[in-house]
Amino acid sequence: MPRKQTRNAQGGGTIRQRKDGTWEARYTVGRDPGTGKQIQKSVYGKTQKEVRQRLQQITTVIDDGSYVAPSKLTVGQWLDLWHRDYLGGVKQATVAHYGSHIETHLKPALGAIRLTDLRPHQIQALYNRLLKSPDTPDGLSAKSIKNLHGVLHRALKQAVMVGYLRSNPADACILPRAEKKEVSFLEEDGIKALLKAIEGHRYERVYRVDLFTGLRQGEILGLTWDCVDFDGGVLTINKQLQKEHKKGGQYSLVSCKTDRVRRIQAAPFVMDVLRQQRRKQNEDRLLAGGAWENDWNLVFTNELGGHLCAPTVYNHFKRIVKEIGLPEVRFHDMRHTFAVLSLQNGDDIKTVQANVGHATAAFTLDVYGHVSQKMQKDSADRMQHYFDGLQAGQK
C-alpha cells in the first residue's frame, strides 16, 4: 500500500483557524537545498474567506515562477512588479501617473529598503520632508502628498494580499490636512466678455458648447456625431480624447473619468451651435477632398478631419481670457461656471450631479456648496420678501 503524502507540493497550502479566532494559511515556497525540508510561509486574516483569497493569489504567483522571497525583495523591486503586473484594468493615464510618483518620489527615497523592513516612520518622514512649507516652498501640496500616499498604500496593500507583508506600514501614517480651495467660475460680466471675445475664433464653437454643457476638455474634444441627438436635444457622454502620458504619446478615445455614461439635455441654442459646426465640418470635408480623414466621427476637428490637440485648444483659451483681463481663468473653470449657472437657475443638486458627471450628489454638494454673489443676493431678497409678508399680516 503506497505511503500517504503528507507534505504539501510547492505552491500548495493549508488553512486553519487559530486559537485567537483569526485564520492562517500556510503555503510552501520550495525546499531548503541543504536539508531538503519544505520552506513554508504563512498569511493571516480575520476570516477564512480572506485568507483563502490571499492564498490563491500567492500560489498563483508561485506557480507562474514570479515569486520572490520577501526577505530579498526591496521596496523598489516590489513597486516595479506591482506597477507592471497588478494594474490590469486601470486606465493607461492612471498607470502612467502612478509610474511618475514611483520614479520621482518613492523609489529614490524608499526603493533600497527591504520590503519586509519598511516601517511607518520611514514613510511618514518622506511625507513630512516633501510637504510644502516656508522652509520648502518647492515642496508638494497636501493634496499631492495624499495622492502619493494613495499610490504607495495601494502597492503595499497588494504586497499584503500576496503574502509579502503581514500588514501595511502605510496604514499608520498621518497625512497633512488639505485646505479646500473654492472653485473658480465666471460671473455674469466675465461670461459676457468671454462670449464677445471668442466671436469668430477658430475654436469659438468648442468654447461655447463647453461653457453651456460643463463637459471636461477631453469629453468635448472626444464628442462624436453618433452621440448628438438633434431631435431630442440630448448629448451622450461616453468617452474622452486622451493622449498617452509619455514622449511621443498617441491620442485615443477612452472611457470617461468615472466610467459612467451620462446624457445631457442641452439647451436649444447649444444644439444650434452644433448644427453650425456640422455645416462648417461639411464645408471643410469638401475642401479637403481625398485628404479628409475623420475615422472617429468627431464633432470638433481640424481642417482635414483630424482630432484637435488639447494643449492647443487650452493655450488659445488662456490667451483669450488674458486679453479680457481674466488671466487666472482656466479651461476647466467653464465647467464650474456651468454648474454654478445651473444652481443659480434653480436646478437641484441631483440634476447638476448628473449633468457634470460626478460619482455622487454628495461630492457635487461638497464642491459647489459655496454660493455666488448673485445667489447670496437672491437669498437675501427672498428673506426680505418673506419678512415683508409677515409684517403686512400683522397690520
Side-chain angles (χ1 to χ4, degrees):
M1 185 173 181
R3 182 179 178 183
K4 183 178 180 182
Q5 177 66 267
T6 58
R7 295 190 298 182
N8 294 327
Q10 181 170 328
T14 58
I15 298 175
R16 71 180 182 91
Q17 189 171 24
R18 304 172 62 187
K19 291 182 180 180
D20 61 2
T22 61
W23 289 81
E24 175 188 11
R26 292 185 62 79
Y27 58 96
T28 303
V29 297
R31 293 184 181 278
D32 187 305
T35 65
K37 293 183 178 180
Q38 292 178 333
I39 301 174
Q40 292 192 321
K41 303 290 183 181
S42 295
V43 290
Y44 304 88
K46 295 180 180 179
T47 66
Q48 185 179 22
K49 180 180 179 181
E50 181 181 350
V51 296
R52 183 181 294 111
Q53 290 174 339
R54 293 185 180 183
L55 179 61
Q56 183 178 4
Q57 291 191 10
I58 294 167
T59 53
T60 298
V61 170
I62 294 173
D63 290 342
D64 67 20
S66 60
Y67 179 82
V68 180
S71 60
K72 298 180 180 179
L73 194 66
T74 66
V75 173
Q77 289 171 329
W78 170 247
L79 289 173
D80 287 339
L81 285 170
W82 172 76
H83 186 254
R84 184 190 70 201
D85 298 335
Y86 289 92
L87 294 178
V90 178
K91 292 179 181 178
Q92 188 58 43
T94 303
V95 174
H97 184 64
Y98 287 174
S100 177
H101 279 306
I102 290 170
E103 295 299 329
T104 305
H105 300 297
L106 296 178
K107 284 174 65 175
L110 306 174
I113 302 172
R114 290 196 182 277
L115 183 62
T116 52
D117 292 339
L118 184 62
R119 297 293 181 263
H121 71 270
Q122 294 169 309
I123 303 172
Q124 188 69 57
L126 172 62
Y127 295 165
N128 295 346
R129 187 167 65 251
L130 290 176
L131 182 63
K132 182 184 294 185
S133 69
D135 297 327
T136 57
D138 295 329
L140 301 181
S141 67
K143 184 177 184 299
S144 294
I145 295 291
K146 182 179 180 181
N147 293 339
L148 179 66
H149 173 76
V151 175
L152 180 60
H153 188 277
R154 182 170 177 175
L156 296 178
K157 180 179 179 181
Q158 189 66 52
V160 174
M161 293 294 291
V162 300
Y164 287 162
L165 293 174
R166 292 191 63 175
S167 61
N168 190 336
D171 282 341
C173 293
I174 298 175
L175 300 181
R177 182 178 178 181
E179 293 186 8
K180 182 182 175 183
K181 294 182 179 179
E182 289 191 355
V183 297
S184 176
F185 60 94
L186 293 166
E187 297 283 0
E188 187 171 324
D189 288 345
I191 295 173
K192 290 179 178 178
L194 177 62
L195 291 176
K196 182 175 180 58
I198 63 176
E199 287 180 2
H201 192 277
R202 60 188 293 192
Y203 299 133
E204 175 185 358
R205 288 177 291 278
V206 176
Y207 301 144
R208 282 186 179 274
V209 172
D210 194 81
L211 180 59
F212 294 106
T213 58
L215 301 185
R216 300 177 178 90
Q217 185 178 8
E219 292 172 345
I220 192 164
L221 297 185
L223 183 65
T224 52
W225 285 117
D226 59 297
C227 292
V228 179
D229 176 7
F230 284 107
D231 293 333
V234 175
L235 304 181
T236 299
I237 311 304
N238 57 11
K239 55 189 169 298
Q240 59 180 326
L241 182 69
Q242 193 172 85
K243 184 181 180 182
E244 292 177 295
H245 289 255
K246 63 181 183 181
K247 187 176 181 179
Q250 299 298 307
Y251 278 91
S252 61
L253 292 177
V254 300
S255 58
C256 294
K257 185 175 181 180
T258 59
D259 289 325
R260 295 184 180 184
V261 176
R262 70 185 191 276
R263 291 172 177 80
I264 299 175
Q265 186 73 49
F269 72 86
V270 172
M271 302 308 294
D272 288 340
V273 174
L274 289 171
R275 289 187 181 93
Q276 294 170 18
Q277 173 60 20
R278 186 168 60 175
R279 288 193 293 270
K280 178 64 169 62
Q281 192 179 76
N282 287 335
E283 293 172 1
D284 289 341
R285 182 166 58 241
L286 290 174
L287 290 173
W292 180 263
E293 188 175 347
N294 184 11
D295 294 339
W296 289 339
N297 196 28
L298 293 171
V299 171
F300 296 105
T301 56
N302 61 27
E303 293 82 357
L304 298 178
H307 64 77
L308 299 181
C309 293
T312 303
V313 175
Y314 182 86
N315 290 335
H316 275 275
F317 178 80
K318 288 298 292 181
R319 280 197 288 270
I320 291 170
V321 295
K322 183 178 181 180
E323 289 171 359
I324 61 177
L326 301 171
E328 300 304 317
V329 174
R330 308 163 303 159
F331 190 101
H332 196 75
D333 292 333
M334 289 195 289
R335 174 173 165 81
H336 294 318
T337 300
F338 169 77
V340 172
L341 284 175
S342 299
L343 293 170
Q344 287 178 347
N345 291 326
D347 288 351
D348 62 85
I349 200 70
K350 191 68 178 176
T351 298
V352 176
Q353 175 224 338
N355 282 339
V356 298
H358 286 161
T360 65
F363 180 80
T364 307
L365 187 62
D366 183 54
V367 173
Y368 300 110
H370 66 294
V371 290
S372 69
Q373 294 178 3
K374 182 178 184 301
M375 293 170 71
Q376 289 176 319
K377 185 177 185 307
D378 289 345
S379 176
D381 289 344
R382 287 193 297 271
M383 186 60 70
Q384 183 64 45
H385 180 73
Y386 173 76
F387 178 77
D388 289 345
L390 289 177
Q391 292 289 91
Q394 292 176 352
K395 294 180 180 179

